[in-house]
Amino acid sequence: QKEVEQNSGPLSVPEGAIASLNCTYSDRVSQSFFWYRQYSGKSPELIMSIYSNGDKEDGRFTAQLNKASQYVSLLIRDSQPSDSATYLCAVPRSAGGTSYGKLTFGQGTILTVHP
Amino acid sequence: DAGVTQSPTHLIKTRGQHVTLRCSPISGHKSVSWYQQVLGQGPQFIFQYYEKEERGRGNFPDRFSARQFPNYSSELNVNALLLGDSALYLCASSPRAGNLDNEQFFGPGTRLTVL
């Protein structure tokens, strides 16, 4: 089982719709979760951080965390063509050792918002 | 404030050569992490440095090495380049290391092509 898994997509939604991006993780003791947006040819940009169960809202973005189900999601309301990008879920390694704190990424979900 | 800077932007090398990539973190940040991203995949962790000491190492061969300087900037060195080293190399800056709520901010990356 991969440490962090995402559906690679592509996920296509019409402009104005809600885009729902999902991520599961294998480390039960993970405490922090990050969503990055990466436009084609660019570097990842941090858009959401979530640490507690429940929802966290920031503008059109809502992150949802369910630690019991080891599941984190990102909702994008009123999707715009400018939201078209790859969305990466990242989880810091919580165990000790030489890679403590490293971010483990899913492979990313490609989102396309069409007019 | 300036974000994370990386140089060069693009680099073309041939097999067997070595390469040095450079990164300057956000002002006030003391930790730098390096990631490798190949097309279609999420970034893979290579190294983390904090206060000039290596704090984490990913599953990369010894051809990869790095260091951090007193001003917290960092270099990533790769020796004996292979075709498979072609990738986007990302530097991430964070205020500290080893904390699970530690957000990491990426620079624009260096695109390395090995011919």
Side-chain angles (χ1 to χ4, degrees):
Chain A
Q1 182 185 8
K2 291 183 180 179
E3 293 182 63
V4 181
E5 290 200 65
Q6 297 179 253
N7 290 327
S8 59
L11 173 65
S12 181
V13 301
E15 184 175 356
I18 297 176
S20 178
L21 306 161
N22 305 317
C23 173
T24 58
Y25 58 94
S26 61
D27 187 351
R28 288 189 168 276
V29 299
S30 293
Q31 300 178 31
S32 310
F33 307 87
F34 305 106
W35 283 99
Y36 287 83
R37 177 176 62 198
Q38 186 172 26
Y39 292 114
S40 181
K42 302 296 185 181
S43 63
E45 173 192 9
L46 180 65
I47 56 172
M48 287 288 281
S49 307
I50 186 167
Y51 310 106
S52 304
N53 272 332
D55 295 358
K56 179 183 177 182
E57 187 174 316
D58 184 1
R60 295 186 296 112
F61 298 98
T62 299
Q64 298 176 320
L65 175 59
N66 184 327
K67 290 185 178 180
S69 300
Q70 295 176 236
Y71 176 92
V72 58
S73 64
L74 180 70
L75 301 178
I76 306 175
R77 293 183 301 281
D78 189 23
S79 295
Q80 301 296 310
S82 59
D83 295 325
S84 298
T86 297
Y87 289 81
L88 296 160
C89 173
V91 182
R93 183 182 176 92
S94 56
T98 60
S99 53
Y100 184 81
K102 75 164 189 178
L103 290 178
T104 299
F105 286 85
Q107 68 179 65
T109 298
I110 299 171
L111 172 66
T112 301
V113 181
H114 53 87
Chain B
D1 284 343
V4 182
T5 60
Q6 290 187 245
S7 63
T9 304
H10 296 87
L11 205 51
I12 299 175
K13 292 286 189 178
T14 57
R15 283 178 296 175
Q17 287 189 310
H18 71 272
V19 67
T20 297
L21 311 180
R22 295 178 175 83
C23 170
S24 291
I26 294 169
S27 178
H29 285 194
K30 298 182 177 181
S31 180
V32 167
S33 299
W34 288 96
Y35 293 81
Q36 180 197 66
Q37 187 178 27
V38 298
L39 198 61
Q41 300 294 321
Q44 296 291 313
F45 173 75
I46 309 175
F47 288 110
Q48 183 181 67
Y49 276 78
Y50 177 65
E51 292 284 15
K52 302 182 290 295
E53 291 187 4
E54 182 182 304
R55 295 300 182 95
R57 171 184 285 259
N59 188 26
F60 279 80
D62 292 342
R63 299 185 295 108
F64 289 77
S65 63
R67 55 179 176 169
Q68 187 177 33
F69 299 99
N71 66 353
Y72 303 111
S73 66
S74 178
E75 283 182 354
L76 175 70
N77 294 282
V78 186
N79 293 324
L81 286 167
L82 304 174
L83 296 178
D85 295 331
S86 295
L88 179 66
Y89 288 85
L90 297 161
C91 172
S93 167
S94 53
R96 55 198 180 280
N99 295 73
L100 298 179
D101 61 348
N102 202 13
E103 295 177 334
Q104 297 186 24
F105 301 92
F106 286 92
T110 295
R111 174 76 59 187
L112 172 65
T113 302
V114 182
L115 302 176

